[in-house]
Amino acid sequence: MQLVCPAGNLPALQAAIDAGADAVYAGFRDQTNARAFPGLNFSDDELRDGIAYAHQRGRQVYLALNTYPDSARLPQWYAAVDKAAEFGCDAIIAAEMAVLDYATRTHPALKRHLSVQGSATTAPALRYAHERFGISRAVLPRVLSIQQVERLCEGSPVPLEVFAFGSLCIMVEGRCQLSSYVTGASPNRHGVCSPASFVRWEEHDDGRRSVRLNQVLMDRFEPREPAGYPTVCKGRFEVGGEVFHALEEPTSLNTLELLPRLAQAGVAALKIEGRQRGVAYVGSVTRTWRDALDRYRASPQDWAAQPRWQSALSKHAEGHQTTLGPYHRSWH
Amino acid sequence: MKLSLGPLQYFWPREHTLAFYREAADWPLDIIYLGETVCSKRRELGTRDWIALAAELARSGKQVVLSSLALIEAESELGVLQRLVDHGDCWIEANDLSAVQLCRERGVPFVAGPTLNVYNHHALAMLMDDGLRRWVPGVEQGHVLLRELREAMRAEQREMPELEVIAFGRLPLAFSARCFTARALDVAKDQCGFRCIDYPDGMPLATREGRPFLRINGIQIQGEEITDLGPELPQLRELGVDVLRLYPQAEGMAEMVAHYHLARRSPVAPPRIGARNGYWHGEPGMRVPETT
């Protein structure tokens, strides 16, 4: 199985490659990708440098073009596809039909991976993307149980990539409008979820803190309580007279213990989430998964998730908690 | 302009659902969408029941469209979709790519539902080649984007399909593998006890300041506000919107259909009876509080 790691910027790309990533995924510094945060992503020159760095070491670079342009902005996405081909990216990761179709017709040799934002969860959906756009890989949304992933591996016309570790989007990717409902800016259209410009922290006299997203209270924290980033899905709200994380606790997905099943199912690649995270995260998480994968490859029969791996990964998890999430049927 | 009754997003008892559609047969509607779009465990009406209801409603002169699940995870769910497509007498509302592909393979016409992620004219034209006849844009898309898309279609000398806009109801905002109703009631998803039947308009979720914010509806999250595009009808007309979609609510639907029926025949825009839909105007979907 290939290890695909996040590269939010050039130092992160180099850290991921140095730590043993088989491929990294990156985005341009604009709304053509789903992590259009200030201070993140690549200029043209940085991407060229990054590709050279990876290719010199025999690794690959995928370019995320995984947002949904409206009609007026399509030329900007098409230009990004052109650049991906010109710079020698190994694949683009896209979900939007016009972008995929343009790439198919204009640069047939440039590989196309169906992005997680494409929300393809079944063999017919994968067949559509394969027949229409000749995709050579699809990234599965984080909604399927391990049994469903295994079944889909059997029926898919293309190799599959699954999320292995990182912050957990609990909604079907590419189909969540919670951020735009509150702020007007959306993951699909603008590549942002809960943009920082809408976030406001308030310190209270008693040491408590409140956090608002465009004036709407997302959560309130006790004086020494750790506070996470205020996405709508990880806020605390009142339902039926009780206040709790009604949608999800701040926690990270960690599928390390499922590694043998994913390998046996024929999953082609494991994806690490976190282009918005720093170099330390990328280096450490990549190194840990590299070690786990190498040991599995060397001796699949003896493989077991080692405590030191889990402890290294927990350090980088949101709220220091990890979950098998939807891979596990009892997740609720 | 035509009026449609969108698919029932909630889980109602069998008799209640059947009585609702028996009444709807006499309402001044042109199109009725039937079927389960949120959770496959909701089986007060099974696939056979929905198909029988479709035949019955078709006799009342309505166009009936069978709606598919927005999120398909299990083989059994795919099997249901296959049966809907194979039924052959109705168009399908395709709410994900699986439905598009099955319709395409069988040559069945389909409506692209609001969760399909169509944002531009090129994607729309491709789907029309696949059998798309009508398009319900996703909730985020307002009048400016639709106007641009229409102009882009014209520039490429492509016909627009029928355009259906969500005029009334709570907006479907997100879907998950998790059941939020089960979570709120602290029961496992697989042992949910079908408790969302107790919440015929979903379960209210408020901020810690008590401000109503969202609705929990099984694996779906909706906006709390019941949006109403009635006052924007002149603009909708000018934009060439063909169909107004009204989502079923537990109470007062007959009156709501009558209200829109009157409005579509009047040159004067009706007063607002629900919430303003910010998305339509290129703003946040919800009304954002002005001060804290």
Side-chain angles (χ1 to χ4, degrees), chain B:
Chain B
M1 261 183 186
K2 295 184 208 171
L3 279 187
S4 79
L5 188 63
L8 174 62
Q9 302 191 88
Y10 306 109
F11 188 38
W12 294 349
R14 178 184 175 85
E15 284 313 316
H16 187 115
T17 308
L18 291 173
F20 176 82
Y21 284 109
R22 228 172 279 133
E23 267 192 59
D26 295 326
W27 297 345
L29 293 161
D30 305 282
I31 304 160
I32 296 184
Y33 291 84
L34 291 181
E36 179 56 54
T37 57
V38 176
C39 174
S40 64
K41 280 194 240 160
R42 296 173 172 182
R43 290 195 200 110
E44 287 281 298
L45 269 72
T47 310
R48 190 179 302 168
D49 297 318
W50 286 116
I51 289 175
L53 189 56
E56 203 177 304
L57 286 168
R59 282 195 290 276
S60 72
K62 321 280 191 217
Q63 188 203 16
V64 179
V65 181
L66 294 171
S67 294
S68 67
L69 276 180
L71 170 61
I72 298 180
E73 297 171 283
E75 289 286 322
S76 56
E77 295 164 349
L78 203 53
V80 168
L81 175 62
Q82 188 78 58
R83 283 174 62 197
L84 294 179
V85 173
D86 288 346
H87 172 58
D89 282 354
C90 295
W91 290 7
I92 298 293
E93 179 186 53
N95 285 315
D96 90 324
L97 265 188
S98 324
V100 171
Q101 174 69 3
L102 292 187
C103 287
R104 178 172 174 258
E105 287 172 350
R106 296 299 169 99
V108 173
F110 66 89
V111 179
T115 52
L116 197 61
N117 277 351
V118 183
Y119 282 87
N120 61 59
H121 66 288
H122 191 84
L124 189 61
M126 289 194 78
L127 286 166
M128 289 172 76
D129 297 340
D130 295 324
L132 178 148
R133 302 288 173 81
R134 185 185 297 146
W135 174 44
V136 189
V139 298
E140 292 186 335
Q141 296 172 70
H143 70 95
V144 172
L145 293 178
L146 294 180
R147 192 179 310 274
E148 285 172 359
L149 184 143
R150 185 176 276 280
E151 280 161 16
M153 288 289 272
R154 192 174 298 139
E156 300 204 351
Q157 284 154 13
R158 291 285 308 221
E159 290 287 317
M160 275 292 283
E162 272 196 315
L163 180 59
E164 176 169 342
V165 166
I166 299 170
F168 171 84
R170 288 203 177 87
L171 301 174
L173 297 178
F175 294 82
S176 176
R178 158 171 288 170
C179 174
F180 302 105
T181 305
R183 180 176 170 87
L185 299 170
D186 201 21
V187 292
K189 190 167 80 167
D190 281 346
Q191 282 88 42
C192 69
F194 315 108
R195 295 278 298 279
C196 51
I197 206 161
D198 297 333
Y199 304 91
D201 278 326
M203 194 183 244
L205 176 154
T207 69
R208 297 177 75 170
E209 290 173 321
R211 183 183 197 278
F213 179 32
L214 301 170
R215 283 275 160 141
I216 287 171
N217 176 35
I219 68 155
Q220 183 196 54
I221 300 295
Q222 307 178 329
E224 164 61 31
E225 292 167 335
I226 299 184
T227 59
D228 164 31
L229 283 182
E232 284 85 2
L233 268 183
Q235 193 181 38
L236 291 164
R237 251 185 223 116
E238 188 252 329
L239 199 61
V241 171
D242 302 284
V243 185
L244 302 175
R245 167 173 289 205
L246 316 177
Y247 274 119
Q249 293 293 144
E251 303 292 334
M253 269 323 277
E255 291 79 5
M256 196 51 57
V257 173
H259 168 83
Y260 268 92
H261 180 52
L262 208 62
R264 67 170 160 169
R265 295 175 151 196
S266 164
V268 183
R272 193 178 302 286
I273 46 175
R276 184 172 180 274
N277 179 345
Y279 281 127
W280 184 254
H281 302 280
E283 299 160 11
M286 74 182 289
R287 269 177 301 193
V288 175
E290 281 174 21
T291 53
T292 58

Side-chain angles (χ1 to χ4, degrees), chain A residues 71 101 121-122 127-128 132 143 170 172 174-175 177 180 186 212 214-215 219 238 245 247-248 329, chain B residues 70 72-73 95 98 105 117 121-122 126 130 140 173 175-176 178 183 190 206 208-209 279 288 292:
Chain A
S71 288
D101 186 52
T121 51
T122 67
R127 236 168 25 237
Y128 184 88
R132 271 308 219 162
V143 294
I170 55 164
V172 185
R175 293 159 82 182
Q177 269 71 246
S180 67
S186 88
R212 292 179 188 275
N214 204 13
Q215 315 288 354
D219 211 344
E238 186 195 313
H245 288 103
L247 307 185
E248 174 64 317
R329 279 302 298 175
Chain B
I72 298 180
E73 297 171 283
N95 285 315
S98 324
E105 287 172 350
N117 277 351
H121 66 288
H122 191 84
M126 289 194 78
D130 295 324
E140 292 186 335
L173 297 178
F175 294 82
S176 176
R178 158 171 288 170
R183 180 176 170 87
D190 281 346
R208 297 177 75 170
E209 290 173 321
Y279 281 127
V288 175
T292 58

